[in-house]
Amino acid sequence: MSLFKLMFMSGLVKIQSNCPTWLNLTALEYHYATQPLPTPAAWHALNLVNPFLQRLSVAATFVIEIGAAFLLLAPTKDVRELGCRIQIFLQILIALTGSYTFFNLLTVAMCFGVWEGESDFGLTAPVKGEWGKALKKAQLFVSYCFLAWLSGELFSIGGMEPGIKVNLETSSWFKRAGIDLLWRAPEANKFANEWIPLTCKAAFYYCAITNFMAALVGSWTILFTHKVRKNSNTLAVYAFRLFRSLTFITLCTLTPFIASGLAYPLFTLTDELHQQKFPLTAFPNDITQINLPSIEAAFFKIMYNKKASHGYGLFRSMTGVGADEQYKAVREDGDKWGWAGKPPSIVARPEIVLEGKFENKGKKEEWRELNFKYKPGKLDNPPAFAAPYQPRLDWQMWFAALGSYQHNPWLVSLIDKLLHNVEDVVNLLDETTESMEGVTEIRAVMYDYDFTRVQNEWNKGIPTSALMSEEIAHDWWARRNRREYIPALARDNESAKAFLEQSGIGESCDEEAHAEKSGGLEYWLYQVHQNNGIWSIIIFAFLGAAFEKLDAMGLLEWLKRRSRRANRWNASASAKEEAEIEAEAEAPPSSNPTSKSTNKSTNKKKKIH
């Protein structure tokens, strides 16, 4: 249910947000350059993929996130496996073009859990033989038909934006071909209102039936399958078995209600879904006012109050969408600007650049750009892979560029620590304490960044694109529209201190330094706090998925058999060695020390003759 909720909500909110880039299917023409931490593959994807294929990829994203998500809840393993394959394929593409820390890895780990899930106790056991193959093909055929039907409901091929002129004689087919999204927020809400209650009720009752069967089979197995050994306390054994059985039945009973509680955010997608009965109680507008004597209502309260279940809205609206006066030329000359009857996608990624003023040994002070490890900065610095590592400073700089420094007081604190050359803070950048010596002032400026573009037909249709030439042959980025973000701040600036005190930010480095120097338990607790247990979750999830996959492939059983054989061989070998040692010890010593050598020589002579 969690994986279904993640993917379905991620797809639906893109339409509900009314973001023009998603509605026009041009989101990927911005996304590759405007995402927080792009990779080198993003530059190639933006430059070398035709805009029609870019928009076709956006359409495929909608089908995968909205349509293929329903396959994850199918009662048969073959259909769930198809849904997992599709989702894993999407996560691989996302991971190749952008660094999103552990997000892709955890999503894939959840896919493995859905893929190998066998908790129905034979209710949907695969049919063997020819009938089994035919049933599998029929299930996959129905799944493909569902995805095809949804694609027909979502899109139309060959659409053009009204008012755009395209020369049909001289334009290529790719430039004339268009694909349009037919849905808007009302259609998306209608789909959610019809399908979410039906899907969640079916999932709830299916989970209830399978867990009821699991409770019967499991409790019977625990209580009566194994015989009681002789010379054991029969009453104590059956009491312990009864306790295990009751615990197992309780877990099986609570599981459907926990699943329904996890699905709560799905019912916040539209106002109408708040009034739907799912499947026992009704959702009020304020979940904290639920006062019904039902188990399910109690779980809704727990999930809401403990923040155990959340909604998702990945890239609900696209950032870095630029505007230009040359948009007006699109209506007058459609062949010159834009593609397939749509305006050009002008990328304007807001990016903050820190600049420091350094003393130059008696000479005039100069401003120098400070380097970061992963985020865009110098134009010739290529994007870098960071996942699953989380460069938090580089990541937060992307969010800070979407607002003002008044809403990001930590950035002023960062500048203050850099002015004092605090080693722990300087190490977050691609700088050293030696390179930061002599800094007197630091300021923050903002640019509009975009990838440099290769000279092809569609990039020439973007008015602000920086086409590759000899001057910028080695540049990955281009920037324009310089403006001030934070004015130049000197060391111990009184206004900066007052701003930080007003924002509640004090000496932020003392606590970290104390924790690192103290060592022991405090140090490791600090590390766990800093990383939020991310690596523990990743290692646990992947080890679990790996062992489950190895067990499904039969490799664990093979390793067990090999280890047993090796143990038996070692035991027999050691027994032989011990027998030989004992035989040598019991044998009488020879009186003539040269008898053995003479016997060996005579034996050799006999063999020669």
Side-chain angles (χ1 to χ4, degrees):
M1 181 58 74
S2 296
L3 183 59
F4 169 78
K5 178 181 62 176
L6 168 65
M7 303 313 301
F8 182 81
M9 295 187 71
S10 298
L12 201 71
V13 297
K14 292 179 174 66
I15 302 177
Q16 291 179 325
S17 66
N18 290 320
C19 177
T21 61
W22 289 113
L23 299 182
N24 292 331
L25 302 180
T26 58
L28 285 182
E29 298 172 35
Y30 299 93
H31 168 73
Y32 291 126
T34 60
Q35 58 185 320
L37 297 175
T39 65
W43 186 93
H44 294 282
L46 182 62
N47 277 286
L48 304 180
V49 179
N50 188 285
F52 175 76
L53 299 179
Q54 300 274 22
R55 294 164 194 178
L56 198 63
S57 300
V58 179
T61 302
F62 279 119
V63 175
I64 292 173
E65 292 184 342
I66 297 177
F70 287 94
L71 304 183
L72 302 172
L73 297 179
T76 58
K77 183 179 177 180
D78 295 328
V79 180
R80 293 199 305 270
E81 181 178 339
L82 173 62
C84 289
R85 289 180 185 273
I86 295 174
Q87 300 299 340
I88 291 174
F89 174 72
L90 176 63
Q91 296 305 317
I92 291 174
L93 293 181
I94 295 174
L96 288 176
T97 57
S99 296
Y100 292 97
T101 66
F102 53 91
F103 166 75
N104 308 107
L105 301 178
L106 291 182
T107 305
V108 172
M110 286 195 294
C111 288
F112 285 146
V114 176
W115 190 330
E116 297 295 341
E118 294 289 353
S119 60
D120 51 13
F121 284 81
L123 187 65
T124 58
V127 181
K128 298 181 180 180
E130 295 296 329
W131 283 102
K133 295 180 181 178
L135 182 60
K136 179 179 179 179
K137 291 180 180 179
Q139 294 171 359
L140 297 180
F141 177 74
V142 172
S143 303
Y144 291 133
C145 289
F146 170 73
L147 297 179
W149 167 79
L150 185 62
S151 300
E153 292 287 320
L154 280 170
F155 311 108
S156 68
I157 304 295
M160 293 287 182
E161 185 173 320
I164 298 293
K165 298 190 300 181
V166 176
N167 191 330
L168 301 180
E169 296 180 358
T170 60
S171 299
S172 63
W173 181 87
F174 271 114
K175 190 165 185 177
R176 288 186 280 114
I179 179 171
D180 282 331
L181 179 67
L182 298 178
W183 282 13
R184 294 297 183 265
E187 289 80 8
N189 293 339
K190 181 181 178 182
F191 181 81
N193 293 335
E194 293 176 356
W195 283 83
I196 289 300
L198 179 64
T199 303
C200 290
K201 286 180 180 179
F204 174 82
Y205 290 122
Y206 173 77
C207 186
I209 293 172
T210 54
N211 277 272
F212 174 74
M213 297 176 62
L216 291 179
V217 176
S219 60
W220 181 269
T221 303
I222 293 172
L223 285 172
F224 305 109
T225 299
H226 303 288
K227 296 181 179 180
V228 181
R229 294 180 179 179
K230 295 181 179 180
N231 301 326
S232 60
N233 191 337
T234 306
L235 182 61
V237 170
Y238 275 104
F240 179 69
R241 290 183 179 182
L242 181 62
F243 172 75
R244 288 180 57 196
S245 177
L246 292 176
T247 304
F248 185 72
I249 292 173
T250 303
L251 292 176
C252 292
T253 304
L254 295 180
T255 299
F257 297 101
I258 295 175
S260 64
L262 291 174
Y264 164 72
L266 290 168
F267 286 80
T268 63
L269 285 170
T270 66
D271 294 333
E272 185 175 342
L273 284 175
H274 280 279
Q275 309 303 325
Q276 296 285 336
K277 291 183 178 181
F278 164 64
L280 304 175
T281 60
F283 281 88
N285 289 329
D286 186 3
I287 193 170
T288 58
Q289 297 178 0
I290 291 181
N291 189 19
L292 297 175
S294 67
I295 299 177
E296 193 177 26
F299 275 102
F300 290 153
K301 284 186 177 180
I302 293 173
M303 294 295 177
Y304 180 81
N305 294 328
K306 300 299 182 181
K307 307 298 181 183
S309 184
H310 298 272
Y312 300 94
L314 304 177
F315 290 102
R316 181 186 181 95
S317 58
M318 198 57 58
T319 61
V321 179
D324 197 273
E325 290 296 326
Q326 290 176 307
Y327 263 126
K328 299 177 181 178
V330 177
R331 301 287 177 180
E332 301 172 359
D333 192 351
D335 272 356
K336 184 178 180 181
W337 307 115
W339 191 271
K342 293 183 180 179
S345 300
I346 297 179
V347 177
R349 171 197 176 105
E351 193 67 43
I352 297 173
V353 174
L354 297 183
E355 296 178 345
K357 190 176 184 180
F358 291 84
E359 296 177 349
N360 198 2
K361 295 182 180 180
K363 298 181 181 179
K364 185 179 180 181
E365 294 181 325
E366 297 180 352
W367 288 93
R368 177 176 70 82
E369 183 176 331
L370 304 183
N371 299 316
F372 284 76
K373 294 180 180 180
Y374 296 98
K375 86 175 195 68
K378 290 187 176 181
L379 304 183
D380 57 350
N381 282 353
F385 279 98
Y389 172 67
Q390 168 68 296
R392 296 189 179 183
L393 177 60
D394 301 69
W395 188 273
Q396 287 300 118
M397 292 292 287
W398 182 83
F399 285 98
L402 301 179
S404 62
Y405 74 87
Q406 287 85 356
H407 297 95
N408 299 278
W410 60 267
L411 188 54
V412 179
S413 177
L414 172 69
I415 293 176
D416 180 60
K417 299 302 177 185
L418 292 176
L419 287 169
H420 287 82
N421 205 6
V422 179
E423 183 178 2
D424 292 334
V425 179
V426 173
N427 290 338
L428 297 175
L429 279 67
D430 194 15
E431 300 283 349
T432 62
T433 53
E434 290 78 12
S435 64
M436 291 296 295
E437 288 181 358
V439 61
T440 58
E441 294 181 45
I442 294 179
R443 65 189 179 191
V445 296
M446 184 180 286
Y447 292 93
D448 290 336
Y449 270 64
D450 185 14
F451 277 139
T452 53
R453 307 296 184 105
V454 297
Q455 299 199 24
N456 52 34
E457 188 178 0
W458 55 86
N459 284 333
K460 291 179 181 178
I462 302 174
T464 58
S465 62
L467 299 176
M468 297 291 289
S469 62
E470 294 183 359
E471 298 178 355
I472 59 173
H474 301 287
D475 289 351
W476 290 78
W477 297 96
R479 62 189 182 190
R480 61 186 187 276
N481 299 338
R482 176 189 173 96
R483 53 201 183 274
E484 184 182 80
Y485 187 82
I486 297 178
L489 298 177
R491 191 178 302 170
D492 298 325
N493 185 283
E494 295 298 330
S495 60
K497 286 185 177 181
F499 175 75
L500 292 176
E501 290 179 0
Q502 184 179 2
S503 303
I505 300 178
E507 296 295 330
S508 57
C509 293
D510 293 345
E511 182 181 351
E512 290 89 341
H514 173 70
E516 290 185 2
K517 292 178 181 178
S518 62
L521 179 61
E522 185 178 0
Y523 169 78
W524 289 109
L525 290 176
Y526 170 73
Q527 293 297 323
V528 173
H529 173 72
Q530 287 293 98
N531 294 282
N532 297 324
I534 288 171
W535 290 108
S536 301
I537 296 173
I538 292 175
I539 294 171
F540 177 78
F542 271 88
L543 284 179
F547 275 106
E548 189 174 359
K549 196 67 178 177
L550 291 174
D551 188 35
M553 296 170 62
L555 292 179
L556 292 181
E557 187 63 29
W558 178 78
L559 290 174
K560 288 180 182 178
R561 291 197 299 268
R562 289 297 300 269
S563 62
R564 289 171 185 169
R565 292 176 184 173
N567 291 333
R568 287 196 297 269
W569 186 86
N570 291 333
S572 61
S574 60
K576 289 181 180 179
E577 290 178 358
E578 291 177 0
E580 291 177 357
I581 293 172
E582 291 178 358
E584 291 179 358
E586 294 176 358
S590 59
S591 58
N592 187 5
T594 59
S595 60
K596 292 184 179 180
S597 60
T598 55
N599 290 335
K600 289 180 181 180
S601 61
T602 54
N603 291 334
K604 287 182 181 179
K605 292 179 180 179
K606 289 180 181 179
K607 290 180 181 179
I608 294 173
H609 291 297

